Amino acid sequence: MRTIGALLLAIFMFAAVQADARPRTHLVRPGETLYRIALRYSITVAALMESNDLRSDRIRAGQILRLPSPAPPRDTPPPGLRSAITAPADVALPEIGADVVAPRPLRVRRGPKGYHTTLAIVARDTPLHILGIETGWIQVEMPGGNGGWIRAGDLRAVPAPAPPPTGVAHGADIVREAMRYFGTPYVWGGESSRGVDCSGFVYVVFSGRMPQLSRLRSFDYFEMGVPVGRAELRPGDLVFFTTYAPGPSHVGIYAGEGRFLHASFSARRVLATSLDDAYYSARYVGARRLLAP
């Protein structure tokens, strides 16, 4: 009996050690989101927020997060399955695994509830891959690999907007608006004419034409819009660089003729810089188009 009891105790202790082998904390790296961290450890964003007493899903590099126990696995509907209760009756749901395009600018949230913060605003015609469906919400993968949630009703077909009057170019309008901030002081976290940082500069310039745009980081803006090759850049496109942190940690607005406008930390103001500048040319990581050129 003692032998059996000792054996059972050893098995229990071994199982406990195995259970404890999973990390209890996670050190947030630059560019990481709660969604990616939750996906990595097979837990939910809601559980991660609850374990760390987070009131929003915004996190910062260097932050240490406590990891809850993994959530029990849920059955995943097979590709092609549709559910009549996941959206209003007049909304035709796409199939899981399908590729669709955004019918208009759409707000992508970090979870399938209205209280989740915005991950990105994707431009019209942005390609989206359908990952899953929950009641009233659709999980999508955006260009670049990040996943988020949009309301099922937002994929309802909408009439195409009327073409702009001849001679009006949205991209050129953006550049004209951006030039109003030329020389504005660099202020970390700033988002007004008194001071801006690089992502705040993008926000104040674009928000007038995209009212649903949120104040996000350059990493988040990189997930938005349509990827654009360097040879196809047009005025108003966003250009990204890796500077103080790996990945698209700096953003500017392409102004044409090989130059871009941006809030420069080193120059302490908004200025124009050549894409061929040795520093920025070596750190260029890509471009995104949010509005019509």
PDB file of all heavy atoms in Angstrom, residues 156-185:
ATOM      1  N   ARG A 156     -22.218  44.542 -44.567  1.00  0.00           N
ATOM      2  CA  ARG A 156     -23.374  44.727 -45.431  1.00  0.00           C
ATOM      3  C   ARG A 156     -22.936  45.521 -46.662  1.00  0.00           C
ATOM      4  O   ARG A 156     -22.176  46.486 -46.560  1.00  0.00           O
ATOM      5  CB  ARG A 156     -24.451  45.500 -44.668  1.00  0.00           C
ATOM      6  CG  ARG A 156     -25.803  45.561 -45.369  1.00  0.00           C
ATOM      7  CD  ARG A 156     -26.641  46.670 -44.742  1.00  0.00           C
ATOM      8  NE  ARG A 156     -26.503  46.718 -43.309  1.00  0.00           N
ATOM      9  CZ  ARG A 156     -27.346  46.140 -42.463  1.00  0.00           C
ATOM     10  NH1 ARG A 156     -28.361  45.437 -42.927  1.00  0.00           N
ATOM     11  NH2 ARG A 156     -27.160  46.257 -41.169  1.00  0.00           N
ATOM     12  N   ALA A 157     -23.397  45.123 -47.824  1.00  0.00           N
ATOM     13  CA  ALA A 157     -23.041  45.837 -49.046  1.00  0.00           C
ATOM     14  C   ALA A 157     -23.545  47.273 -48.958  1.00  0.00           C
ATOM     15  O   ALA A 157     -24.648  47.539 -48.502  1.00  0.00           O
ATOM     16  CB  ALA A 157     -23.638  45.152 -50.268  1.00  0.00           C
ATOM     17  N   VAL A 158     -22.720  48.219 -49.372  1.00  0.00           N
ATOM     18  CA  VAL A 158     -23.107  49.630 -49.349  1.00  0.00           C
ATOM     19  C   VAL A 158     -22.920  50.205 -50.742  1.00  0.00           C
ATOM     20  O   VAL A 158     -22.072  49.751 -51.512  1.00  0.00           O
ATOM     21  CB  VAL A 158     -22.250  50.424 -48.340  1.00  0.00           C
ATOM     22  CG1 VAL A 158     -22.511  49.954 -46.927  1.00  0.00           C
ATOM     23  CG2 VAL A 158     -20.769  50.311 -48.674  1.00  0.00           C
ATOM     24  N   PRO A 159     -23.733  51.207 -51.107  1.00  0.00           N
ATOM     25  CA  PRO A 159     -23.574  51.809 -52.427  1.00  0.00           C
ATOM     26  C   PRO A 159     -22.203  52.451 -52.566  1.00  0.00           C
ATOM     27  O   PRO A 159     -21.646  52.983 -51.605  1.00  0.00           O
ATOM     28  CB  PRO A 159     -24.693  52.869 -52.456  1.00  0.00           C
ATOM     29  CG  PRO A 159     -25.626  52.492 -51.358  1.00  0.00           C
ATOM     30  CD  PRO A 159     -24.813  51.797 -50.331  1.00  0.00           C
ATOM     31  N   ALA A 160     -21.656  52.375 -53.751  1.00  0.00           N
ATOM     32  CA  ALA A 160     -20.352  53.002 -54.003  1.00  0.00           C
ATOM     33  C   ALA A 160     -20.504  54.510 -53.884  1.00  0.00           C
ATOM     34  O   ALA A 160     -21.488  55.087 -54.342  1.00  0.00           O
ATOM     35  CB  ALA A 160     -19.847  52.634 -55.388  1.00  0.00           C
ATOM     36  N   PRO A 161     -19.552  55.187 -53.232  1.00  0.00           N
ATOM     37  CA  PRO A 161     -19.660  56.638 -53.095  1.00  0.00           C
ATOM     38  C   PRO A 161     -19.544  57.320 -54.445  1.00  0.00           C
ATOM     39  O   PRO A 161     -18.918  56.801 -55.360  1.00  0.00           O
ATOM     40  CB  PRO A 161     -18.468  56.986 -52.182  1.00  0.00           C
ATOM     41  CG  PRO A 161     -17.497  55.873 -52.388  1.00  0.00           C
ATOM     42  CD  PRO A 161     -18.319  54.653 -52.633  1.00  0.00           C
ATOM     43  N   ALA A 162     -20.153  58.485 -54.552  1.00  0.00           N
ATOM     44  CA  ALA A 162     -20.063  59.232 -55.797  1.00  0.00           C
ATOM     45  C   ALA A 162     -18.630  59.644 -56.040  1.00  0.00           C
ATOM     46  O   ALA A 162     -17.889  59.981 -55.109  1.00  0.00           O
ATOM     47  CB  ALA A 162     -20.962  60.465 -55.716  1.00  0.00           C
ATOM     48  N   PRO A 163     -18.179  59.612 -57.301  1.00  0.00           N
ATOM     49  CA  PRO A 163     -16.790  60.000 -57.581  1.00  0.00           C
ATOM     50  C   PRO A 163     -16.572  61.462 -57.225  1.00  0.00           C
ATOM     51  O   PRO A 163     -17.483  62.280 -57.341  1.00  0.00           O
ATOM     52  CB  PRO A 163     -16.662  59.758 -59.091  1.00  0.00           C
ATOM     53  CG  PRO A 163     -18.066  59.816 -59.606  1.00  0.00           C
ATOM     54  CD  PRO A 163     -18.925  59.270 -58.516  1.00  0.00           C
ATOM     55  N   PRO A 164     -15.378  61.812 -56.767  1.00  0.00           N
ATOM     56  CA  PRO A 164     -15.115  63.204 -56.413  1.00  0.00           C
ATOM     57  C   PRO A 164     -15.126  64.082 -57.651  1.00  0.00           C
ATOM     58  O   PRO A 164     -14.931  63.598 -58.763  1.00  0.00           O
ATOM     59  CB  PRO A 164     -13.709  63.141 -55.782  1.00  0.00           C
ATOM     60  CG  PRO A 164     -13.093  61.928 -56.392  1.00  0.00           C
ATOM     61  CD  PRO A 164     -14.201  60.958 -56.589  1.00  0.00           C
ATOM     62  N   PRO A 165     -15.370  65.366 -57.490  1.00  0.00           N
ATOM     63  CA  PRO A 165     -15.341  66.275 -58.635  1.00  0.00           C
ATOM     64  C   PRO A 165     -13.999  66.224 -59.338  1.00  0.00           C
ATOM     65  O   PRO A 165     -12.962  65.966 -58.738  1.00  0.00           O
ATOM     66  CB  PRO A 165     -15.585  67.659 -57.994  1.00  0.00           C
ATOM     67  CG  PRO A 165     -16.225  67.373 -56.674  1.00  0.00           C
ATOM     68  CD  PRO A 165     -15.695  66.056 -56.237  1.00  0.00           C
ATOM     69  N   THR A 166     -14.032  66.496 -60.643  1.00  0.00           N
ATOM     70  CA  THR A 166     -12.803  66.466 -61.435  1.00  0.00           C
ATOM     71  C   THR A 166     -11.769  67.416 -60.830  1.00  0.00           C
ATOM     72  O   THR A 166     -12.074  68.553 -60.485  1.00  0.00           O
ATOM     73  CB  THR A 166     -13.103  66.882 -62.888  1.00  0.00           C
ATOM     74  OG1 THR A 166     -14.107  66.013 -63.402  1.00  0.00           O
ATOM     75  CG2 THR A 166     -11.851  66.803 -63.740  1.00  0.00           C
ATOM     76  N   GLY A 167     -10.556  66.931 -60.719  1.00  0.00           N
ATOM     77  CA  GLY A 167      -9.462  67.764 -60.229  1.00  0.00           C
ATOM     78  C   GLY A 167      -9.237  67.654 -58.734  1.00  0.00           C
ATOM     79  O   GLY A 167      -8.251  68.169 -58.231  1.00  0.00           O
ATOM     80  N   VAL A 168     -10.165  67.008 -57.985  1.00  0.00           N
ATOM     81  CA  VAL A 168      -9.986  66.861 -56.543  1.00  0.00           C
ATOM     82  C   VAL A 168      -9.259  65.554 -56.261  1.00  0.00           C
ATOM     83  O   VAL A 168      -9.704  64.490 -56.667  1.00  0.00           O
ATOM     84  CB  VAL A 168     -11.340  66.876 -55.812  1.00  0.00           C
ATOM     85  CG1 VAL A 168     -11.130  66.586 -54.328  1.00  0.00           C
ATOM     86  CG2 VAL A 168     -12.017  68.228 -55.991  1.00  0.00           C
ATOM     87  N   ALA A 169      -8.138  65.608 -55.593  1.00  0.00           N
ATOM     88  CA  ALA A 169      -7.377  64.412 -55.246  1.00  0.00           C
ATOM     89  C   ALA A 169      -7.279  64.341 -53.736  1.00  0.00           C
ATOM     90  O   ALA A 169      -6.741  65.236 -53.103  1.00  0.00           O
ATOM     91  CB  ALA A 169      -5.982  64.460 -55.871  1.00  0.00           C
ATOM     92  N   HIS A 170      -7.830  63.290 -53.144  1.00  0.00           N
ATOM     93  CA  HIS A 170      -7.818  63.180 -51.688  1.00  0.00           C
ATOM     94  C   HIS A 170      -6.400  63.223 -51.131  1.00  0.00           C
ATOM     95  O   HIS A 170      -6.145  63.834 -50.112  1.00  0.00           O
ATOM     96  CB  HIS A 170      -8.510  61.885 -51.273  1.00  0.00           C
ATOM     97  CG  HIS A 170      -9.989  61.910 -51.500  1.00  0.00           C
ATOM     98  ND1 HIS A 170     -10.768  60.778 -51.468  1.00  0.00           N
ATOM     99  CD2 HIS A 170     -10.827  62.945 -51.751  1.00  0.00           C
ATOM    100  CE1 HIS A 170     -12.024  61.102 -51.696  1.00  0.00           C
ATOM    101  NE2 HIS A 170     -12.090  62.405 -51.875  1.00  0.00           N
ATOM    102  N   GLY A 171      -5.485  62.532 -51.790  1.00  0.00           N
ATOM    103  CA  GLY A 171      -4.113  62.523 -51.309  1.00  0.00           C
ATOM    104  C   GLY A 171      -3.513  63.912 -51.284  1.00  0.00           C
ATOM    105  O   GLY A 171      -2.819  64.298 -50.333  1.00  0.00           O
ATOM    106  N   ALA A 172      -3.785  64.710 -52.321  1.00  0.00           N
ATOM    107  CA  ALA A 172      -3.273  66.076 -52.364  1.00  0.00           C
ATOM    108  C   ALA A 172      -3.889  66.917 -51.255  1.00  0.00           C
ATOM    109  O   ALA A 172      -3.226  67.774 -50.661  1.00  0.00           O
ATOM    110  CB  ALA A 172      -3.555  66.697 -53.733  1.00  0.00           C
ATOM    111  N   ASP A 173      -5.179  66.680 -50.956  1.00  0.00           N
ATOM    112  CA  ASP A 173      -5.822  67.397 -49.855  1.00  0.00           C
ATOM    113  C   ASP A 173      -5.146  67.080 -48.526  1.00  0.00           C
ATOM    114  O   ASP A 173      -4.967  67.956 -47.673  1.00  0.00           O
ATOM    115  CB  ASP A 173      -7.300  67.021 -49.774  1.00  0.00           C
ATOM    116  CG  ASP A 173      -8.099  67.546 -50.963  1.00  0.00           C
ATOM    117  OD1 ASP A 173      -7.593  68.456 -51.646  1.00  0.00           O
ATOM    118  OD2 ASP A 173      -9.207  67.048 -51.201  1.00  0.00           O
ATOM    119  N   ILE A 174      -4.784  65.822 -48.342  1.00  0.00           N
ATOM    120  CA  ILE A 174      -4.100  65.408 -47.114  1.00  0.00           C
ATOM    121  C   ILE A 174      -2.764  66.133 -46.983  1.00  0.00           C
ATOM    122  O   ILE A 174      -2.398  66.614 -45.900  1.00  0.00           O
ATOM    123  CB  ILE A 174      -3.899  63.883 -47.101  1.00  0.00           C
ATOM    124  CG1 ILE A 174      -5.220  63.161 -46.822  1.00  0.00           C
ATOM    125  CG2 ILE A 174      -2.852  63.460 -46.073  1.00  0.00           C
ATOM    126  CD1 ILE A 174      -5.784  63.422 -45.434  1.00  0.00           C
ATOM    127  N   VAL A 175      -2.030  66.225 -48.081  1.00  0.00           N
ATOM    128  CA  VAL A 175      -0.729  66.905 -48.028  1.00  0.00           C
ATOM    129  C   VAL A 175      -0.915  68.379 -47.692  1.00  0.00           C
ATOM    130  O   VAL A 175      -0.151  68.949 -46.898  1.00  0.00           O
ATOM    131  CB  VAL A 175       0.023  66.725 -49.358  1.00  0.00           C
ATOM    132  CG1 VAL A 175       1.299  67.572 -49.367  1.00  0.00           C
ATOM    133  CG2 VAL A 175       0.367  65.258 -49.581  1.00  0.00           C
ATOM    134  N   ARG A 176      -1.943  69.007 -48.290  1.00  0.00           N
ATOM    135  CA  ARG A 176      -2.192  70.417 -47.967  1.00  0.00           C
ATOM    136  C   ARG A 176      -2.521  70.593 -46.485  1.00  0.00           C
ATOM    137  O   ARG A 176      -2.067  71.536 -45.834  1.00  0.00           O
ATOM    138  CB  ARG A 176      -3.330  70.959 -48.845  1.00  0.00           C
ATOM    139  CG  ARG A 176      -2.907  71.319 -50.256  1.00  0.00           C
ATOM    140  CD  ARG A 176      -3.985  72.131 -50.953  1.00  0.00           C
ATOM    141  NE  ARG A 176      -5.141  71.297 -51.274  1.00  0.00           N
ATOM    142  CZ  ARG A 176      -5.268  70.609 -52.399  1.00  0.00           C
ATOM    143  NH1 ARG A 176      -4.294  70.658 -53.314  1.00  0.00           N
ATOM    144  NH2 ARG A 176      -6.340  69.888 -52.638  1.00  0.00           N
ATOM    145  N   GLU A 177      -3.328  69.660 -45.949  1.00  0.00           N
ATOM    146  CA  GLU A 177      -3.642  69.724 -44.515  1.00  0.00           C
ATOM    147  C   GLU A 177      -2.378  69.506 -43.680  1.00  0.00           C
ATOM    148  O   GLU A 177      -2.165  70.186 -42.667  1.00  0.00           O
ATOM    149  CB  GLU A 177      -4.702  68.670 -44.174  1.00  0.00           C
ATOM    150  CG  GLU A 177      -5.067  68.580 -42.696  1.00  0.00           C
ATOM    151  CD  GLU A 177      -5.775  69.805 -42.166  1.00  0.00           C
ATOM    152  OE1 GLU A 177      -6.252  70.628 -42.987  1.00  0.00           O
ATOM    153  OE2 GLU A 177      -5.859  69.954 -40.933  1.00  0.00           O
ATOM    154  N   ALA A 178      -1.548  68.562 -44.097  1.00  0.00           N
ATOM    155  CA  ALA A 178      -0.313  68.268 -43.359  1.00  0.00           C
ATOM    156  C   ALA A 178       0.615  69.476 -43.326  1.00  0.00           C
ATOM    157  O   ALA A 178       1.296  69.729 -42.322  1.00  0.00           O
ATOM    158  CB  ALA A 178       0.389  67.066 -43.980  1.00  0.00           C
ATOM    159  N   MET A 179       0.640  70.235 -44.425  1.00  0.00           N
ATOM    160  CA  MET A 179       1.529  71.395 -44.482  1.00  0.00           C
ATOM    161  C   MET A 179       1.122  72.473 -43.481  1.00  0.00           C
ATOM    162  O   MET A 179       1.942  73.312 -43.108  1.00  0.00           O
ATOM    163  CB  MET A 179       1.527  71.969 -45.900  1.00  0.00           C
ATOM    164  CG  MET A 179       2.318  71.134 -46.905  1.00  0.00           C
ATOM    165  SD  MET A 179       4.069  70.985 -46.455  1.00  0.00           S
ATOM    166  CE  MET A 179       4.590  72.702 -46.504  1.00  0.00           C
ATOM    167  N   ARG A 180      -0.128  72.458 -43.025  1.00  0.00           N
ATOM    168  CA  ARG A 180      -0.558  73.428 -42.018  1.00  0.00           C
ATOM    169  C   ARG A 180       0.200  73.227 -40.704  1.00  0.00           C
ATOM    170  O   ARG A 180       0.286  74.145 -39.881  1.00  0.00           O
ATOM    171  CB  ARG A 180      -2.060  73.312 -41.769  1.00  0.00           C
ATOM    172  CG  ARG A 180      -2.928  73.702 -42.943  1.00  0.00           C
ATOM    173  CD  ARG A 180      -4.404  73.579 -42.625  1.00  0.00           C
ATOM    174  NE  ARG A 180      -4.773  74.370 -41.453  1.00  0.00           N
ATOM    175  CZ  ARG A 180      -5.299  73.870 -40.342  1.00  0.00           C
ATOM    176  NH1 ARG A 180      -5.535  72.573 -40.243  1.00  0.00           N
ATOM    177  NH2 ARG A 180      -5.596  74.645 -39.324  1.00  0.00           N
ATOM    178  N   TYR A 181       0.744  72.026 -40.499  1.00  0.00           N
ATOM    179  CA  TYR A 181       1.453  71.717 -39.257  1.00  0.00           C
ATOM    180  C   TYR A 181       2.969  71.810 -39.426  1.00  0.00           C
ATOM    181  O   TYR A 181       3.714  71.457 -38.511  1.00  0.00           O
ATOM    182  CB  TYR A 181       1.066  70.315 -38.780  1.00  0.00           C
ATOM    183  CG  TYR A 181      -0.382  70.214 -38.356  1.00  0.00           C
ATOM    184  CD1 TYR A 181      -1.373  69.914 -39.289  1.00  0.00           C
ATOM    185  CD2 TYR A 181      -0.769  70.451 -37.038  1.00  0.00           C
ATOM    186  CE1 TYR A 181      -2.710  69.832 -38.918  1.00  0.00           C
ATOM    187  CE2 TYR A 181      -2.099  70.371 -36.657  1.00  0.00           C
ATOM    188  CZ  TYR A 181      -3.064  70.071 -37.611  1.00  0.00           C
ATOM    189  OH  TYR A 181      -4.377  70.001 -37.241  1.00  0.00           O
ATOM    190  N   PHE A 182       3.413  72.277 -40.587  1.00  0.00           N
ATOM    191  CA  PHE A 182       4.853  72.387 -40.833  1.00  0.00           C
ATOM    192  C   PHE A 182       5.480  73.299 -39.776  1.00  0.00           C
ATOM    193  O   PHE A 182       5.042  74.419 -39.545  1.00  0.00           O
ATOM    194  CB  PHE A 182       5.107  72.952 -42.231  1.00  0.00           C
ATOM    195  CG  PHE A 182       6.529  72.796 -42.697  1.00  0.00           C
ATOM    196  CD1 PHE A 182       6.937  71.645 -43.339  1.00  0.00           C
ATOM    197  CD2 PHE A 182       7.464  73.799 -42.475  1.00  0.00           C
ATOM    198  CE1 PHE A 182       8.248  71.492 -43.767  1.00  0.00           C
ATOM    199  CE2 PHE A 182       8.769  73.655 -42.891  1.00  0.00           C
ATOM    200  CZ  PHE A 182       9.171  72.497 -43.538  1.00  0.00           C
ATOM    201  N   GLY A 183       6.515  72.806 -39.106  1.00  0.00           N
ATOM    202  CA  GLY A 183       7.174  73.574 -38.055  1.00  0.00           C
ATOM    203  C   GLY A 183       6.566  73.413 -36.674  1.00  0.00           C
ATOM    204  O   GLY A 183       7.113  73.948 -35.695  1.00  0.00           O
ATOM    205  N   THR A 184       5.443  72.685 -36.564  1.00  0.00           N
ATOM    206  CA  THR A 184       4.823  72.455 -35.251  1.00  0.00           C
ATOM    207  C   THR A 184       5.798  71.724 -34.329  1.00  0.00           C
ATOM    208  O   THR A 184       6.467  70.783 -34.767  1.00  0.00           O
ATOM    209  CB  THR A 184       3.530  71.619 -35.409  1.00  0.00           C
ATOM    210  OG1 THR A 184       2.592  72.351 -36.191  1.00  0.00           O
ATOM    211  CG2 THR A 184       2.917  71.285 -34.052  1.00  0.00           C
ATOM    212  N   PRO A 185       5.903  72.120 -33.076  1.00  0.00           N
ATOM    213  CA  PRO A 185       6.867  71.469 -32.163  1.00  0.00           C
ATOM    214  C   PRO A 185       6.571  69.981 -31.978  1.00  0.00           C
ATOM    215  O   PRO A 185       5.410  69.558 -32.003  1.00  0.00           O
ATOM    216  CB  PRO A 185       6.684  72.232 -30.844  1.00  0.00           C
ATOM    217  CG  PRO A 185       6.086  73.535 -31.247  1.00  0.00           C
ATOM    218  CD  PRO A 185       5.227  73.254 -32.433  1.00  0.00           C
TER     219      PRO A 185
END
